[in-house]
Amino acid sequence: YELATVLDADPNRFQMASISEGTDETRPSVVVNVIFRASNTVNAENWDLYIDFLPARSPLGLLSLLRALQVDESSLLFTSKFLNSVDKTYNRAAFQVLECPDF
């Protein structure tokens, strides 16, 4: 929920995949692998209800915002005890994942 609060997005758009030890040797840090989901708030059926509002950020838009906040130590990101420990030097390229249905 902290990530959703910082990025001003619906918490259901994030799924934590894993947490591991970070690479920053100057302080304890963690690497968090998170799946950013597309928003399902606005679609073809209900577009007319949201026409006056900007659509929600895309997953890549959310990632871009998160990366910008990572390097700005005065950002809201650093007020969170958990998110403050995210490794700022770790910058893995984004890649698309597909969610498979449960059988």
Side-chain angles (χ1 to χ4, degrees):
Y1 289 101
E2 291 180 61
L3 183 60
T5 300
V6 169
L7 298 178
D8 192 26
D10 180 356
N12 294 317
R13 295 189 59 199
F14 306 95
Q15 178 182 345
M16 189 179 325
S18 67
I19 301 177
S20 57
E21 189 174 336
T23 60
D24 187 343
E25 295 178 9
T26 63
R27 65 183 182 92
S29 63
V30 294
V31 173
V32 182
N33 291 301
V34 177
I35 298 170
F36 290 64
R37 293 188 170 125
S39 174
N40 60 1
T41 305
V42 179
N43 56 45
E45 290 79 35
N46 66 8
W47 178 253
D48 57 325
L49 299 174
Y50 296 94
I51 197 76
D52 294 330
F53 301 99
L54 292 174
R57 285 185 177 93
S58 69
L60 284 177
L62 290 170
L63 180 59
S64 176
L65 176 58
L66 177 61
R67 286 184 173 158
L69 293 173
Q70 271 183 286
V71 297
D72 180 3
E73 293 189 12
S74 64
S75 73
L76 183 60
L77 183 76
F78 289 92
T79 62
S80 161
K81 283 188 176 187
F82 176 72
L83 294 175
N84 187 22
S85 65
V86 171
D87 190 339
K88 294 187 295 186
T89 62
Y90 187 80
N91 193 9
R92 182 170 183 171
F95 57 92
Q96 184 174 2
V97 295
L98 300 175
E99 186 173 7
C100 298
D102 293 332
F103 293 99

XYZ file of all heavy atoms in Angstrom:
815
model
N 0.811 -1.199 0.000
C 0.000 0.000 0.000
C 0.857 1.266 0.000
O 0.417 2.307 -0.432
C -0.951 0.001 1.192
C -2.049 -1.024 1.046
C -1.989 -2.230 1.706
C -3.137 -0.774 0.223
C -2.999 -3.173 1.560
C -4.147 -1.707 0.067
C -4.072 -2.905 0.744
O -5.073 -3.816 0.584
N 2.065 1.151 0.546
C 2.933 2.328 0.589
C 3.310 2.787 -0.813
O 3.294 3.983 -1.100
C 4.188 2.035 1.411
C 3.902 1.879 2.891
C 5.158 1.600 3.674
O 6.058 2.462 3.650
O 5.241 0.540 4.305
N 3.628 1.834 -1.679
C 3.987 2.187 -3.054
C 2.808 2.843 -3.758
O 2.966 3.839 -4.453
C 4.449 0.945 -3.819
C 4.926 1.168 -5.245
C 6.109 2.127 -5.281
C 5.291 -0.157 -5.884
N 1.623 2.317 -3.555
C 0.424 2.894 -4.171
C 0.185 4.312 -3.669
O -0.179 5.198 -4.447
C -0.786 2.013 -3.877
N 0.417 4.542 -2.403
C 0.244 5.882 -1.832
C 1.243 6.859 -2.442
O 0.875 7.956 -2.855
C 0.415 5.845 -0.300
O -0.576 4.963 0.246
C 0.257 7.214 0.312
N 2.504 6.455 -2.511
C 3.544 7.333 -3.059
C 3.286 7.648 -4.527
O 3.475 8.774 -4.971
C 4.939 6.690 -2.867
C 5.994 7.427 -3.650
C 5.305 6.655 -1.392
N 2.806 6.648 -5.293
C 2.569 6.850 -6.722
C 1.146 7.300 -7.034
O 0.787 7.478 -8.187
C 2.883 5.564 -7.492
C 4.332 5.091 -7.411
C 4.501 3.792 -8.181
C 5.277 6.158 -7.926
N 0.336 7.497 -5.985
C -1.050 7.946 -6.147
C -1.805 7.043 -7.124
O -2.363 7.495 -8.124
C -1.094 9.399 -6.611
C -2.496 9.991 -6.518
O -3.287 9.500 -5.691
O -2.794 10.924 -7.277
N -1.807 5.744 -6.823
C -2.449 4.760 -7.694
C -3.210 3.738 -6.852
O -2.970 3.598 -5.651
C -1.401 4.060 -8.544
N -4.099 3.022 -7.487
C -4.875 1.967 -6.838
C -3.934 0.846 -6.383
O -3.149 0.339 -7.192
C -5.897 1.430 -7.841
C -6.769 0.324 -7.293
O -6.574 -0.120 -6.142
O -7.670 -0.120 -8.033
N -3.979 0.437 -5.112
C -3.088 -0.623 -4.623
C -3.243 -1.944 -5.378
O -2.308 -2.731 -5.437
C -3.491 -0.798 -3.156
C -4.255 0.402 -2.794
C -4.814 0.984 -4.048
N -4.398 -2.173 -5.967
C -4.616 -3.419 -6.705
C -3.804 -3.482 -7.997
O -3.763 -4.522 -8.645
C -6.098 -3.599 -7.020
C -6.902 -3.803 -5.767
O -6.491 -4.539 -4.870
N -8.033 -3.136 -5.674
N -3.167 -2.381 -8.363
C -2.354 -2.354 -9.586
C -0.934 -2.867 -9.355
O -0.141 -2.932 -10.281
C -2.297 -0.933 -10.140
C -3.669 -0.444 -10.587
C -3.599 0.841 -11.323
N -2.745 0.690 -12.509
C -2.215 1.723 -13.142
N -2.435 2.940 -12.729
N -1.446 1.533 -14.197
N -0.597 -3.253 -8.121
C 0.747 -3.702 -7.796
C 0.717 -5.092 -7.186
O -0.104 -5.379 -6.330
C 1.403 -2.740 -6.796
C 1.394 -1.315 -7.259
C 0.392 -0.455 -6.854
C 2.363 -0.850 -8.122
C 0.367 0.859 -7.283
C 2.346 0.464 -8.559
C 1.351 1.313 -8.146
N 1.634 -5.922 -7.636
C 1.784 -7.253 -7.044
C 3.260 -7.466 -6.751
O 4.096 -7.425 -7.667
C 1.284 -8.343 -7.979
C 1.469 -9.728 -7.405
C 1.017 -10.818 -8.358
O 0.328 -10.559 -9.334
N 1.403 -12.022 -8.074
N 3.598 -7.677 -5.480
C 4.976 -7.905 -5.110
C 5.354 -9.325 -5.520
O 4.703 -10.290 -5.117
C 5.191 -7.708 -3.610
C 6.649 -7.724 -3.245
S 7.007 -7.477 -1.495
C 5.780 -6.360 -0.937
N 6.402 -9.452 -6.328
C 6.839 -10.758 -6.797
C 7.930 -11.334 -5.900
O 7.937 -12.535 -5.627
C 7.328 -10.663 -8.247
N 8.874 -10.499 -5.443
C 9.947 -10.983 -4.574
C 10.656 -9.815 -3.904
O 10.578 -8.680 -4.359
C 10.955 -11.814 -5.364
O 11.645 -10.998 -6.290
N 11.359 -10.128 -2.816
C 12.212 -9.176 -2.110
C 13.553 -9.862 -1.899
O 13.608 -11.016 -1.480
C 11.630 -8.757 -0.749
C 10.259 -8.112 -0.905
C 12.577 -7.816 -0.020
C 9.604 -7.752 0.417
N 14.639 -9.149 -2.196
C 15.974 -9.716 -1.981
C 16.911 -8.634 -1.463
O 16.579 -7.448 -1.462
C 16.515 -10.338 -3.272
O 16.543 -9.382 -4.299
N 18.089 -9.058 -1.048
C 19.071 -8.113 -0.520
C 19.556 -7.186 -1.627
O 19.774 -7.604 -2.761
C 20.250 -8.890 0.061
C 21.217 -8.033 0.827
C 22.293 -8.867 1.503
O 22.072 -10.058 1.761
O 23.370 -8.298 1.761
N 19.730 -5.920 -1.287
C 20.156 -4.926 -2.259
C 21.643 -4.966 -2.557
O 22.397 -5.743 -1.953
N 22.064 -4.112 -3.476
C 23.465 -4.067 -3.907
C 24.215 -2.861 -3.350
O 25.405 -2.731 -3.584
C 23.540 -4.026 -5.448
O 22.844 -2.858 -5.908
C 22.931 -5.256 -6.072
N 23.520 -1.986 -2.637
C 24.147 -0.790 -2.084
C 24.994 -1.188 -0.871
O 24.466 -1.583 0.157
C 23.075 0.228 -1.684
C 23.634 1.565 -1.263
O 24.853 1.646 -0.965
O 22.860 2.536 -1.217
N 26.319 -1.075 -0.999
C 27.208 -1.498 0.083
C 27.369 -0.440 1.166
O 27.950 -0.707 2.212
C 28.573 -1.877 -0.493
C 28.485 -3.085 -1.404
C 29.821 -3.462 -2.019
O 30.864 -2.898 -1.609
O 29.829 -4.321 -2.907
N 26.850 0.759 0.943
C 27.009 1.836 1.926
C 25.940 1.800 3.011
O 26.104 2.432 4.043
C 26.978 3.215 1.240
O 25.696 3.405 0.628
C 28.073 3.325 0.192
N 24.841 1.086 2.766
C 23.771 0.996 3.770
C 22.917 -0.228 3.463
O 22.879 -0.704 2.333
C 22.910 2.255 3.766
C 22.138 2.471 2.488
C 21.360 3.798 2.520
N 20.593 3.954 1.305
C 19.329 3.566 1.147
N 18.680 3.008 2.127
N 18.713 3.748 0.001
N 22.199 -0.739 4.458
C 21.314 -1.873 4.191
C 20.235 -1.473 3.178
O 19.670 -0.379 3.258
C 20.681 -2.176 5.545
C 21.534 -1.495 6.550
C 22.182 -0.332 5.851
N 19.982 -2.335 2.210
C 18.969 -2.022 1.206
C 18.339 -3.308 0.702
O 18.852 -4.407 0.934
C 19.588 -1.245 0.034
O 20.554 -2.037 -0.631
N 17.217 -3.149 0.024
C 16.504 -4.295 -0.546
C 16.161 -4.008 -2.000
O 16.063 -2.857 -2.419
C 15.201 -4.617 0.228
C 15.494 -5.096 1.634
C 14.256 -3.437 0.241
N 15.992 -5.084 -2.764
C 15.493 -5.003 -4.128
C 14.114 -5.653 -4.106
O 13.958 -6.784 -3.654
C 16.419 -5.750 -5.118
C 15.794 -5.808 -6.492
C 17.780 -5.075 -5.177
N 13.117 -4.904 -4.551
C 11.746 -5.397 -4.563
C 11.291 -5.526 -6.010
O 11.305 -4.539 -6.746
C 10.794 -4.440 -3.797
C 9.378 -4.990 -3.775
C 11.304 -4.192 -2.385
N 10.955 -6.736 -6.417
C 10.429 -6.950 -7.763
C 8.915 -6.866 -7.691
O 8.275 -7.638 -6.967
C 10.856 -8.318 -8.297
C 12.340 -8.363 -8.573
O 12.832 -7.573 -9.362
N 13.046 -9.252 -7.901
N 8.365 -5.899 -8.419
C 6.932 -5.620 -8.363
C 6.357 -5.657 -9.772
O 6.965 -5.159 -10.713
C 6.659 -4.228 -7.739
C 5.176 -3.909 -7.738
C 7.223 -4.157 -6.339
N 5.185 -6.243 -9.899
C 4.458 -6.229 -11.162
C 3.516 -5.044 -11.128
O 2.721 -4.904 -10.207
C 3.674 -7.545 -11.356
C 4.652 -8.721 -11.415
C 2.804 -7.466 -12.610
C 3.985 -10.075 -11.358
N 3.645 -4.149 -12.119
C 2.774 -2.987 -12.263
C 1.683 -3.369 -13.263
O 1.984 -3.643 -14.416
C 3.559 -1.787 -12.803
C 4.542 -1.204 -11.840
C 5.626 -1.929 -11.393
C 4.412 0.090 -11.405
C 6.544 -1.381 -10.518
C 5.329 0.658 -10.540
C 6.394 -0.094 -10.087
N 0.454 -3.378 -12.815
C -0.664 -3.741 -13.689
C -1.280 -2.499 -14.333
O -1.261 -1.417 -13.765
C -1.744 -4.449 -12.885
C -1.317 -5.785 -12.370
C -2.505 -6.496 -11.766
N -2.178 -7.867 -11.478
C -2.310 -8.420 -10.284
N -2.768 -7.712 -9.283
N -1.983 -9.679 -10.105
N -1.861 -2.711 -15.506
C -2.586 -1.634 -16.179
C -3.860 -1.330 -15.402
O -4.417 -2.200 -14.731
C -2.920 -2.037 -17.609
N -4.316 -0.105 -15.485
C -5.550 0.290 -14.819
C -6.745 -0.251 -15.587
O -6.778 -0.223 -16.804
C -5.645 1.811 -14.749
O -6.891 2.201 -14.242
N -7.719 -0.737 -14.870
C -8.953 -1.178 -15.525
C -10.106 -0.245 -15.166
O -11.254 -0.580 -15.350
C -9.287 -2.623 -15.165
C -9.485 -2.817 -13.666
O -9.395 -1.875 -12.898
N -9.737 -4.042 -13.261
N -9.781 0.946 -14.662
C -10.808 1.901 -14.269
C -11.538 2.471 -15.474
O -12.752 2.600 -15.477
C -10.184 3.065 -13.466
O -9.474 2.520 -12.367
C -11.236 4.016 -12.982
N -10.768 2.820 -16.496
C -11.353 3.437 -17.675
C -11.267 2.455 -18.834
O -10.207 1.965 -19.159
C -10.613 4.741 -18.037
C -11.208 5.365 -19.283
C -10.655 5.706 -16.878
N -12.410 2.151 -19.421
C -12.436 1.283 -20.590
C -13.486 1.802 -21.561
O -14.128 2.813 -21.321
C -12.701 -0.181 -20.186
C -13.982 -0.323 -19.386
O -15.002 0.242 -19.743
N -13.925 -1.085 -18.307
N -13.661 1.115 -22.650
C -14.572 1.593 -23.697
C -16.007 1.744 -23.195
O -16.725 2.647 -23.623
C -14.530 0.629 -24.887
N -16.415 0.888 -22.276
C -17.799 0.926 -21.800
C -18.084 2.111 -20.882
O -19.191 2.618 -20.830
C -18.157 -0.371 -21.054
C -18.259 -1.591 -21.947
C -16.892 -2.166 -22.307
O -15.978 -2.118 -21.457
O -16.734 -2.627 -23.446
N -17.079 2.545 -20.108
C -17.349 3.625 -19.149
C -16.555 4.891 -19.434
O -16.447 5.757 -18.587
C -17.101 3.142 -17.717
C -15.653 2.814 -17.425
O -14.766 3.068 -18.228
N -15.411 2.231 -16.273
N -16.000 5.021 -20.640
C -15.180 6.179 -20.978
C -15.936 7.485 -20.779
O -15.374 8.468 -20.297
C -14.674 6.068 -22.418
C -13.878 7.265 -22.818
C -14.259 8.251 -23.665
C -12.582 7.641 -22.352
N -13.283 9.201 -23.771
C -12.243 8.866 -22.970
C -11.677 7.084 -21.461
C -11.036 9.506 -22.733
C -10.478 7.731 -21.229
C -10.173 8.925 -21.865
N -17.213 7.514 -21.120
C -17.977 8.754 -21.005
C -18.067 9.258 -19.562
O -18.199 10.450 -19.321
C -19.377 8.595 -21.611
C -20.167 7.469 -20.976
O -19.553 6.446 -20.605
O -21.389 7.611 -20.841
N -17.946 8.355 -18.587
C -17.986 8.768 -17.180
C -16.692 9.464 -16.754
O -16.678 10.220 -15.798
C -18.216 7.554 -16.276
C -19.518 6.790 -16.492
C -19.534 5.539 -15.624
C -20.716 7.673 -16.172
N -15.599 9.197 -17.464
C -14.284 9.697 -17.079
C -13.695 10.689 -18.067
O -12.536 11.042 -17.967
C -13.311 8.513 -16.915
C -13.702 7.589 -15.802
C -14.479 6.462 -16.051
C -13.317 7.840 -14.496
C -14.845 5.612 -15.026
C -13.676 7.007 -13.465
C -14.441 5.885 -13.741
O -14.804 5.054 -12.728
N -14.470 11.138 -19.017
C -13.959 11.976 -20.092
C -13.294 13.260 -19.581
O -12.355 13.760 -20.194
C -15.090 12.298 -21.115
C -14.510 12.792 -22.437
C -16.074 13.295 -20.555
C -13.937 11.735 -23.290
N -13.738 13.761 -18.433
C -13.178 14.996 -17.893
C -11.926 14.777 -17.052
O -11.330 15.733 -16.568
C -14.224 15.730 -17.048
C -15.391 16.219 -17.881
O -15.165 16.522 -19.072
O -16.508 16.291 -17.360
N -11.545 13.521 -16.854
C -10.391 13.213 -16.018
C -9.264 12.630 -16.871
O -9.513 11.989 -17.885
C -10.763 12.197 -14.935
C -11.859 12.673 -14.042
C -13.161 12.254 -14.241
C -11.593 13.549 -13.006
C -14.187 12.688 -13.422
C -12.617 13.994 -12.185
C -13.908 13.570 -12.391
N -8.045 12.859 -16.430
C -6.916 12.234 -17.108
C -6.944 10.741 -16.813
O -7.241 10.330 -15.693
C -5.598 12.823 -16.602
C -5.326 14.267 -16.966
C -4.053 14.740 -16.271
C -5.197 14.421 -18.467
N -6.619 9.913 -17.792
C -6.580 8.476 -17.515
C -5.445 8.153 -16.551
O -4.489 8.924 -16.407
C -6.345 7.856 -18.887
C -5.811 8.943 -19.732
C -6.308 10.239 -19.165
N -5.550 7.023 -15.906
C -4.512 6.598 -14.968
C -3.206 6.366 -15.706
O -3.195 6.073 -16.900
C -4.954 5.312 -14.270
N -2.097 6.526 -14.993
C -0.783 6.299 -15.608
C -0.660 4.850 -16.066
O -1.145 3.935 -15.405
C 0.332 6.573 -14.605
C 0.576 8.019 -14.332
C 1.805 8.168 -13.412
N 2.108 9.553 -13.197
C 1.649 10.262 -12.182
N 0.854 9.713 -11.299
N 1.971 11.536 -12.054
N 0.066 4.653 -17.140
C 0.363 3.307 -17.623
C 1.374 2.668 -16.673
O 2.025 3.368 -15.880
C 0.957 3.373 -19.023
O 2.253 3.960 -18.967
N 1.557 1.344 -16.747
C 2.599 0.722 -15.920
C 3.982 1.349 -16.156
O 4.722 1.587 -15.194
C 2.561 -0.745 -16.361
C 1.122 -0.958 -16.746
C 0.736 0.337 -17.427
N 4.332 1.646 -17.398
C 5.626 2.292 -17.650
C 5.662 3.715 -17.106
O 6.702 4.197 -16.660
C 5.956 2.288 -19.142
C 6.433 0.947 -19.692
C 6.664 1.032 -21.194
C 7.688 0.477 -18.989
N 4.514 4.385 -17.109
C 4.427 5.716 -16.518
C 4.646 5.677 -15.019
O 5.329 6.540 -14.448
N 4.077 4.662 -14.354
C 4.285 4.495 -12.918
C 5.753 4.197 -12.617
O 6.329 4.731 -11.666
C 3.399 3.369 -12.380
C 1.908 3.655 -12.332
C 1.132 2.385 -12.026
C 1.595 4.725 -11.304
N 6.366 3.346 -13.436
C 7.775 3.018 -13.238
C 8.653 4.252 -13.437
O 9.587 4.489 -12.671
C 8.199 1.900 -14.195
C 9.655 1.462 -14.088
C 9.977 0.955 -12.693
C 9.947 0.402 -15.134
N 8.343 5.048 -14.432
C 9.098 6.272 -14.680
C 8.993 7.225 -13.490
O 9.996 7.819 -13.061
C 8.576 6.945 -15.949
O 9.219 8.161 -16.168
N 7.805 7.359 -12.942
C 7.610 8.206 -11.764
C 8.387 7.658 -10.572
O 9.060 8.404 -9.857
C 6.122 8.310 -11.428
C 5.754 9.082 -10.164
C 6.277 10.516 -10.216
C 4.240 9.066 -9.964
N 8.330 6.345 -10.359
C 9.060 5.738 -9.243
C 10.560 5.987 -9.375
O 11.227 6.345 -8.405
C 8.778 4.235 -9.178
C 9.540 3.466 -8.105
C 9.202 3.979 -6.712
C 9.246 1.980 -8.218
N 11.097 5.832 -10.573
C 12.535 6.062 -10.780
C 12.912 7.519 -10.517
O 13.975 7.806 -9.969
C 12.935 5.632 -12.176
C 12.974 4.111 -12.296
C 13.461 3.661 -13.631
N 13.628 2.218 -13.622
C 13.641 1.479 -14.698
N 13.501 2.040 -15.890
N 13.801 0.184 -14.613
N 12.048 8.436 -10.905
C 12.312 9.852 -10.632
C 12.304 10.119 -9.130
O 13.141 10.873 -8.622
C 11.283 10.728 -11.344
N 11.378 9.498 -8.417
C 11.306 9.680 -6.968
C 12.491 9.030 -6.261
O 12.932 9.507 -5.210
C 9.995 9.104 -6.429
C 8.724 9.828 -6.869
C 7.496 9.053 -6.412
C 8.689 11.246 -6.349
N 13.029 7.940 -6.825
C 14.175 7.248 -6.226
C 15.404 8.144 -6.115
O 16.168 8.025 -5.169
C 14.569 6.031 -7.067
C 13.860 4.761 -6.703
C 14.374 3.614 -7.546
O 14.061 3.524 -8.723
N 15.151 2.754 -6.936
N 15.598 9.012 -7.073
C 16.799 9.857 -7.061
C 16.576 11.189 -6.359
O 17.527 11.920 -6.119
C 17.337 10.101 -8.495
C 17.774 8.795 -9.123
C 16.331 10.807 -9.362
N 15.340 11.499 -6.015
C 15.017 12.754 -5.329
C 14.830 12.472 -3.842
O 13.761 12.053 -3.410
C 13.745 13.353 -5.929
C 13.340 14.655 -5.268
O 14.077 15.135 -4.373
O 12.273 15.189 -5.633
N 15.880 12.680 -3.060
C 15.828 12.333 -1.641
C 14.872 13.194 -0.826
O 14.621 12.919 0.337
C 17.231 12.353 -1.047
C 18.088 11.249 -1.614
C 19.413 11.100 -0.909
O 19.601 11.688 0.175
O 20.262 10.380 -1.452
N 14.294 14.223 -1.426
C 13.294 15.024 -0.721
C 11.875 14.590 -1.107
O 10.906 15.214 -0.696
C 13.486 16.516 -1.016
O 13.255 16.765 -2.381
N 11.751 13.508 -1.868
C 10.439 13.051 -2.324
C 9.699 12.286 -1.231
O 10.283 11.854 -0.229
C 10.582 12.165 -3.561
O 11.116 10.906 -3.200
N 8.430 12.097 -1.453
C 7.569 11.358 -0.537
C 8.054 9.928 -0.337
O 7.838 9.324 0.710
C 6.125 11.356 -1.084
C 5.036 10.708 -0.256
C 4.911 11.401 1.092
C 3.713 10.762 -0.982
N 8.763 9.386 -1.302
C 9.291 8.031 -1.219
C 10.138 7.838 0.034
O 10.091 6.796 0.672
C 10.126 7.736 -2.468
C 10.702 6.344 -2.605
C 9.614 5.366 -3.020
C 11.808 6.338 -3.630
N 10.880 8.857 0.414
C 11.810 8.722 1.529
C 11.173 8.956 2.896
O 11.849 8.875 3.906
C 13.020 9.644 1.307
C 13.884 9.144 0.196
C 13.677 9.577 -1.099
C 14.851 8.196 0.436
C 14.458 9.090 -2.131
C 15.636 7.699 -0.584
C 15.432 8.142 -1.876
N 9.879 9.206 2.940
C 9.188 9.310 4.226
C 8.733 7.938 4.713
O 8.369 7.787 5.863
C 7.972 10.252 4.137
O 7.030 9.715 3.210
C 8.399 11.650 3.721
N 8.745 6.954 3.847
C 8.341 5.596 4.187
C 9.551 4.800 4.668
O 10.578 4.762 3.987
C 7.740 4.910 2.952
O 7.733 3.511 3.116
N 9.441 4.147 5.830
C 10.563 3.358 6.343
C 10.924 2.226 5.386
O 12.094 1.949 5.154
C 10.243 2.790 7.727
C 10.353 3.785 8.828
C 10.217 3.132 10.171
C 10.426 4.158 11.262
N 10.468 3.542 12.577
N 9.923 1.571 4.814
C 10.205 0.460 3.903
C 10.750 0.967 2.575
O 11.795 0.512 2.106
C 8.953 -0.383 3.669
C 9.175 -1.481 2.663
C 9.953 -2.580 2.989
C 8.631 -1.401 1.398
C 10.185 -3.590 2.068
C 8.847 -2.401 0.473
C 9.626 -3.502 0.807
N 10.080 1.904 1.963
C 10.501 2.383 0.650
C 11.818 3.146 0.714
O 12.555 3.199 -0.267
C 9.408 3.237 0.012
C 8.126 2.478 -0.331
C 7.060 3.430 -0.841
C 8.385 1.381 -1.345
N 12.137 3.718 1.869
C 13.405 4.413 2.036
C 14.575 3.445 1.925
O 15.681 3.841 1.585
C 13.440 5.126 3.383
C 14.655 6.001 3.543
O 15.265 6.415 2.576
N 15.013 6.271 4.777
N 14.338 2.156 2.181
C 15.417 1.172 2.115
C 15.567 0.552 0.727
O 16.403 -0.316 0.522
C 15.191 0.068 3.156
O 14.015 -0.658 2.845
N 14.773 1.000 -0.255
C 14.893 0.485 -1.609
C 16.229 0.929 -2.194
O 16.635 2.089 -2.049
C 13.707 0.970 -2.484
C 13.929 0.625 -3.943
C 12.411 0.336 -1.995
N 16.910 0.005 -2.833
C 18.232 0.261 -3.412
C 18.118 1.257 -4.558
O 17.539 0.966 -5.593
C 18.817 -1.071 -3.902
C 20.267 -0.975 -4.308
O 20.725 0.147 -4.607
O 20.930 -2.011 -4.329
N 18.676 2.454 -4.377
C 18.589 3.516 -5.390
C 19.491 3.258 -6.585
O 19.302 3.812 -7.648
C 18.937 4.875 -4.777
C 17.948 5.348 -3.747
C 18.245 6.750 -3.314
C 19.566 6.824 -2.602
N 19.851 8.135 -2.024
N 20.509 2.420 -6.410
C 21.455 2.169 -7.499
C 20.981 1.040 -8.420
O 21.519 0.878 -9.508
C 22.849 1.813 -6.946
O 22.752 0.608 -6.175
C 23.379 2.939 -6.079
N 20.017 0.258 -7.991
C 19.529 -0.865 -8.783
C 18.542 -0.335 -9.815
O 17.531 0.255 -9.477
C 18.838 -1.883 -7.863
C 18.443 -3.159 -8.552
C 19.376 -4.158 -8.780
C 17.135 -3.377 -8.961
C 19.020 -5.338 -9.402
C 16.771 -4.559 -9.583
C 17.725 -5.536 -9.795
O 17.364 -6.706 -10.407
N 18.842 -0.539 -11.092
C 18.009 0.034 -12.144
C 17.820 -0.985 -13.268
O 18.325 -0.819 -14.365
C 18.652 1.313 -12.671
C 17.695 2.116 -13.523
O 16.520 1.821 -13.597
N 18.210 3.130 -14.167
N 17.114 -2.029 -12.978
C 16.873 -3.080 -13.971
C 15.889 -2.580 -15.020
O 14.946 -1.846 -14.710
C 16.322 -4.309 -13.286
C 16.102 -5.439 -14.244
C 15.792 -6.701 -13.537
N 15.658 -7.752 -14.537
C 15.549 -8.999 -14.247
N 15.579 -9.377 -12.991
N 15.418 -9.895 -15.184
N 16.091 -3.016 -16.244
C 15.179 -2.642 -17.325
C 13.807 -3.267 -17.097
O 13.696 -4.398 -16.613
C 15.746 -3.109 -18.662
N 12.778 -2.529 -17.437
C 11.414 -3.035 -17.319
C 11.160 -4.067 -18.421
O 11.733 -3.978 -19.508
C 10.414 -1.894 -17.450
N 10.332 -5.038 -18.122
C 9.920 -5.979 -19.158
C 8.481 -6.401 -18.908
O 7.998 -6.378 -17.778
C 10.855 -7.201 -19.234
C 10.988 -7.968 -17.932
C 10.158 -9.040 -17.652
C 11.952 -7.605 -17.008
C 10.280 -9.741 -16.474
C 12.086 -8.301 -15.816
C 11.254 -9.374 -15.549
N 7.813 -6.748 -19.977
C 6.400 -7.098 -19.902
C 6.250 -8.537 -19.419
O 7.013 -9.421 -19.828
C 5.755 -6.958 -21.271
C 4.266 -7.202 -21.259
C 3.630 -6.923 -22.602
O 4.283 -6.573 -23.566
N 2.347 -7.093 -22.679
N 5.293 -8.756 -18.533
C 4.943 -10.104 -18.087
C 3.469 -10.338 -18.378
O 2.674 -9.381 -18.420
C 5.239 -10.312 -16.580
C 6.716 -10.222 -16.292
C 4.470 -9.332 -15.732
N 3.123 -11.565 -18.582
C 1.724 -11.929 -18.824
C 1.215 -12.742 -17.655
O 1.911 -13.631 -17.166
C 1.596 -12.733 -20.124
C 2.064 -12.023 -21.389
C 1.997 -12.972 -22.574
C 1.233 -10.789 -21.645
N 0.028 -12.429 -17.204
C -0.571 -13.160 -16.099
C -1.334 -14.354 -16.656
O -2.199 -14.207 -17.521
C -1.519 -12.255 -15.319
C -2.067 -12.893 -14.083
C -2.882 -11.923 -13.237
O -3.131 -10.786 -13.685
O -3.254 -12.312 -12.137
N -0.961 -15.528 -16.196
C -1.630 -16.745 -16.643
C -2.794 -17.056 -15.715
O -2.681 -16.891 -14.496
C -0.657 -17.919 -16.636
S 0.732 -17.707 -17.736
N -3.886 -17.536 -16.277
C -5.024 -17.887 -15.412
C -4.704 -19.111 -14.568
O -3.941 -19.988 -15.001
C -6.148 -18.175 -16.411
C -5.441 -18.549 -17.671
C -4.146 -17.789 -17.671
N -5.260 -19.153 -13.362
C -5.120 -20.335 -12.507
C -6.001 -21.438 -13.057
O -7.131 -21.194 -13.492
C -5.526 -20.021 -11.066
C -4.569 -19.053 -10.406
O -3.380 -19.047 -10.803
O -5.000 -18.328 -9.500
N -5.505 -22.634 -13.017
C -6.303 -23.783 -13.480
C -6.735 -24.628 -12.340
O -6.143 -24.771 -11.371
C -5.509 -24.632 -14.482
C -5.264 -23.910 -15.761
C -4.066 -23.284 -16.003
C -6.260 -23.842 -16.735
C -3.834 -22.612 -17.195
C -6.041 -23.175 -17.923
C -4.817 -22.571 -18.161
